Amino acid sequence: EPEVTQTPSHQVTQMGQEVILRCVPISNHLYFYWYRQILGQKVEFLVSFYNNEISEKSEIFDDQFSVERPDGSNFTLKIRSTKLEDSAMYFCASNSPGQGAWTEAFFGQGTRLTVV
Amino acid sequence: AQSVTQLGSHVSVSEGALVLLRCNYSSSVPPYLFWYVQYPNQGLQLLLKYTTGATLVKGINGFEAEFKKSETSFHLTKPSAHMSDAAEYFCAVMNSGYSTLTFGKGTMLLVSP
């Protein structure tokens, strides 16, 4: 069964450092997403990406965040200068429209980012 | 704007007992509703979804949910809990553009022998 894969599963970084979280979406999907879940809080939408550009983003997705699809298979989230409050589980997801309705989003296993 | 409220951050049941996890939503458009499950150290897995049509939807692992428009609810049920059902469950509604998801805070289901 096709799946979304994320690497690494856990990343520890020092405050102020740049991190790149990587995702390989399902191959025939067209829309890609990043969500995050701060410990004990709800899963929050960050950004959606379609046709090589951001289609929607939340207030959380400020200038320190960026996304890229560098090679047609990977989908990355870069945090330029990490802060303690960026510590969270980051989920990648993908989906596609099908027969007039959206398919459900398929989620990866997540990357737990710890900023120290 | 869409929102989701899940009553109870933790629900405890005995093995074999009925599972009821509550979800209420608000949506400015006809809602698409989802339940996801997260097992320890794993990603979010779709349990079931409602888009249109039959209001009682069945999902994997014996779970089902009923869309009640008048109550703006989409509660998740399972007649008989198994130990393997212990996980965190998230209710979600799709936004008005039918693209992104708004999640509830999640409910941790604890199953005791």
Side-chain angles (χ1 to χ4, degrees):
Chain A
E1 185 175 325
E3 60 180 14
V4 176
T5 57
Q6 291 185 242
T7 54
S9 57
H10 192 183
Q11 176 140 10
V12 181
T13 188
Q14 288 201 324
M15 193 168 52
Q17 294 297 304
E18 174 184 287
V19 293
I20 297 176
L21 309 183
R22 303 181 191 279
C23 168
V24 179
I26 293 173
S27 61
N28 62 346
H29 283 182
L30 301 177
Y31 280 75
F32 316 114
Y33 309 85
W34 285 101
Y35 289 79
R36 80 172 184 190
Q37 183 185 23
I38 295 172
L39 189 63
Q41 298 186 26
K42 62 175 66 178
V43 177
E44 302 171 290
F45 166 72
L46 292 179
V47 66
S48 61
F49 191 85
Y50 171 71
N51 200 25
N52 285 320
E53 61 183 24
I54 291 173
S55 53
E56 192 173 349
K57 61 182 181 179
S58 72
E59 294 174 349
I60 303 167
F61 194 87
D62 61 23
D63 290 344
Q64 70 162 342
F65 291 93
S66 62
V67 289
E68 196 177 36
R69 189 159 160 79
D71 57 13
S73 63
N74 290 285
F75 178 52
T76 62
L77 174 69
K78 182 191 291 186
I79 309 175
R80 206 177 334 274
S81 176
T82 51
K83 298 179 270 195
L84 294 176
E85 54 265 38
D86 293 327
S87 296
M89 179 75 88
Y90 288 80
F91 291 105
C92 175
S94 69
N95 71 347
S96 268
Q99 298 182 345
W102 288 94
T103 66
E104 66 269 18
F106 288 80
F107 284 80
Q109 291 188 319
T111 293
R112 180 162 296 286
L113 176 65
T114 304
V115 182
V116 296
Chain B
Q2 279 68 34
S3 68
V4 174
T5 302
Q6 290 184 242
L7 284 177
S9 59
H10 291 80
V11 170
S12 295
V13 299
S14 299
E15 194 171 20
L18 171 72
V19 175
L20 171 61
L21 304 182
R22 298 178 186 275
C23 172
N24 288 89
Y25 70 90
S26 70
S27 177
S28 55
V29 298
Y32 285 6
L33 295 158
F34 304 81
W35 275 99
Y36 283 86
V37 60
Q38 185 180 25
Y39 297 103
N41 300 316
Q42 295 189 26
L44 297 168
Q45 180 183 1
L46 181 71
L47 268 181
L48 49 78
K49 65 179 178 181
Y50 168 79
T51 53
T52 58
T55 56
L56 181 64
V57 291
K58 296 184 186 299
I60 61 172
N61 302 336
F63 284 93
E64 61 183 37
E66 186 171 12
F67 168 60
K68 292 188 176 180
K69 184 178 177 180
S70 61
E71 298 178 8
T72 61
S73 70
F74 191 57
H75 302 328
L76 182 70
T77 60
K78 182 174 179 177
S80 176
H82 292 166
M83 297 294 290
S84 59
D85 294 327
E88 189 153 24
Y89 292 80
F90 294 92
C91 182
V93 63
M94 205 165 240
N95 73 345
S96 57
Y98 296 109
S99 57
T100 63
L101 293 166
T102 298
F103 284 86
K105 286 191 173 183
T107 298
M108 182 68 71
L109 177 65
L110 307 169
V111 183
S112 56

